[in-house]
Amino acid sequence: MIQRLLTIVGEYFIFLRKVFSRPEKWSVFFKKLLFEMDAMGIGSMLIVSIVSIAMGSVITMQTAMQIESSWIPTWTVGFVSRTSIVMELCPTIISLLLVGNLGSRITAEIGSMRVTEQIDALEVMGINPASYMVLPKVIASLIVNPVLIIFSICFALIGGYVTIVLIGNITPYDFMDGLTYCFRVYDVVYAVTKTFVFAFVMSTVASFYGYRIDGGALELGKASTQGIVVSSFIILVLNVLITQIML
């Protein structure tokens, strides 16, 4: 078991070495990069916005229900909701959502090219398939995912505000007062840093499992599942480590 794990880890780092090599043609690389950014960003915006609004609404309602004491200021609801959304819920939950959405897409796309022997054809032509196919996806993920998380935070806060307006537990003014109370830019830096690391893990692990497929459609399905599970596990472990380091 340990030997197998070490073998996979070694193959992963060898794969990364192939990925982060100089592209054959920069013009082709930038064209593929723009395509991947468009596919990842625009393609994920709808699901990210819906989940973020719902998540912001739920966390605000739960916070408002828990803080009912007259000893606690009403603006605490906005403060606690903002802190939870910015520092943990959006960076981690949305990243796990993107693992299932984008990660499975990356694994399936690269795995299908392996199954149909397109990767072998690139190697015969003297092209580094890892760099040609995977590097644009990794760079696009590192650019797009933090932007999606920023939008996610905004949508979640809007969802919380709309919820307060509808349920009327506290005034919208008190909620906004809590949102702006003791705001630290470092909280956003912390969230974006986590997202950046999570994006790298998601894109490289998903690509790795798609790249190393040996078989047909059945193995492609297994690789997609393995990529999602392993990426999610690594993200959860790194979430604890980054929180311990940065906070």
Side-chain angles (χ1 to χ4, degrees):
M1 181 65 181
I2 297 179
Q3 183 179 0
R4 175 177 172 79
L5 177 61
L6 293 176
T7 301
I8 294 176
V9 171
E11 292 177 355
Y12 172 73
F13 283 105
I14 294 174
F15 171 73
L16 290 183
R17 183 179 178 182
K18 295 179 181 179
V19 170
F20 291 98
S21 60
R22 188 175 184 274
E24 302 290 338
K25 291 185 178 180
W26 286 102
S27 58
V28 176
F29 169 76
F30 284 117
K31 183 178 179 180
K32 292 178 67 65
L33 176 61
L34 293 176
F35 173 79
E36 293 295 340
M37 289 175 62
D38 177 70
M40 292 183 180
I42 303 301
S44 302
M45 184 60 71
L46 179 61
I47 184 66
V48 167
S49 61
I50 293 174
V51 172
S52 300
I53 292 173
M55 189 166 55
S57 176
V58 169
I59 194 64
T60 302
M61 284 191 292
Q62 291 179 348
T63 304
M65 291 174 57
Q66 297 298 324
I67 303 178
E68 296 180 347
S69 174
S70 58
W71 294 93
I72 303 176
T74 53
W75 55 259
T76 306
V77 175
F79 175 76
V80 173
S81 299
R82 184 205 73 202
T83 304
S84 301
I85 289 171
V86 173
M87 300 188 68
E88 186 58 32
L89 290 179
C90 284
T92 305
I93 302 302
I94 298 300
S95 292
L96 292 174
L97 172 69
L98 293 175
V99 167
N101 185 25
L102 300 181
S104 59
R105 168 183 170 270
I106 292 173
T107 303
E109 182 176 335
I110 296 178
S112 62
M113 295 183 69
R114 170 65 75 182
V115 171
T116 56
E117 299 182 349
Q118 296 181 52
I119 294 179
D120 297 333
L122 290 173
E123 292 176 344
V124 171
M125 291 187 293
I127 299 175
N128 180 1
S131 176
Y132 178 79
M133 296 185 307
V134 178
L135 186 59
K137 299 181 186 298
V138 175
I139 301 300
S141 178
L142 295 177
I143 296 173
V144 169
N145 283 29
V147 176
L148 288 175
I149 295 303
I150 297 298
F151 277 105
S152 170
I153 292 172
C154 295
F155 282 123
L157 295 178
I158 292 173
Y161 180 82
V162 172
T163 301
I164 288 299
V165 172
L166 294 178
I167 65 177
N169 285 15
I170 64 173
T171 64
Y173 175 81
D174 288 336
F175 183 75
M176 290 299 298
D177 191 29
L179 288 183
T180 57
Y181 178 75
C182 288
F183 175 76
R184 300 186 306 169
V185 178
Y186 184 77
D187 293 346
V188 179
V189 173
Y190 164 75
V192 173
T193 301
K194 288 206 304 183
T195 305
F196 191 82
V197 175
F198 297 163
F200 179 83
V201 171
M202 177 203 72
S203 56
T204 55
V205 172
S207 300
F208 170 70
Y209 276 94
Y211 191 84
R212 68 191 294 267
I213 286 178
D214 184 15
L218 181 61
E219 285 72 18
L220 179 59
K222 291 180 179 179
S224 181
T225 301
Q226 289 176 344
I228 293 174
V229 172
V230 174
S231 298
S232 301
F233 176 77
I234 296 175
I235 285 175
L236 292 175
V237 172
L238 289 176
N239 184 38
V240 176
L241 295 177
I242 294 173
T243 301
Q244 181 67 29
I245 293 171
M246 296 190 67
L247 299 182

